[in-house]
PDB file of all heavy atoms in Angstrom:
ATOM      1  N   SER A  54      -0.389 -12.773 -25.955  1.00 48.00           N
ATOM      2  CA  SER A  54       0.471 -13.789 -26.535  1.00 48.00           C
ATOM      3  C   SER A  54      -0.366 -14.859 -27.185  1.00 48.00           C
ATOM      4  O   SER A  54      -1.496 -15.086 -26.812  1.00 48.00           O
ATOM      5  CB  SER A  54       1.394 -14.388 -25.466  1.00 48.00           C
ATOM      6  OG  SER A  54       0.588 -14.998 -24.488  1.00 48.00           O
ATOM      7  N   SER A  82      -5.921 -30.227 -42.692  1.00 91.00           N
ATOM      8  CA  SER A  82      -7.065 -30.046 -43.563  1.00 91.00           C
ATOM      9  C   SER A  82      -7.848 -28.792 -43.162  1.00 91.00           C
ATOM     10  O   SER A  82      -7.674 -28.258 -42.057  1.00 91.00           O
ATOM     11  CB  SER A  82      -7.980 -31.280 -43.482  1.00 91.00           C
ATOM     12  OG  SER A  82      -8.625 -31.333 -42.209  1.00 91.00           O
ATOM     13  N   LEU A  88     -11.560 -26.245 -36.757  1.00 90.00           N
ATOM     14  CA  LEU A  88     -11.763 -26.738 -35.395  1.00 90.00           C
ATOM     15  C   LEU A  88     -10.647 -26.280 -34.460  1.00 90.00           C
ATOM     16  O   LEU A  88     -10.890 -25.928 -33.303  1.00 90.00           O
ATOM     17  CB  LEU A  88     -11.865 -28.282 -35.391  1.00 90.00           C
ATOM     18  CG  LEU A  88     -13.122 -28.862 -36.022  1.00 90.00           C
ATOM     19  CD1 LEU A  88     -12.985 -30.375 -36.197  1.00 90.00           C
ATOM     20  CD2 LEU A  88     -14.351 -28.529 -35.166  1.00 90.00           C
TER      21      LEU A  88
END
Side-chain angles (χ1 to χ4, degrees):
S54 60
S82 70
L88 290 170

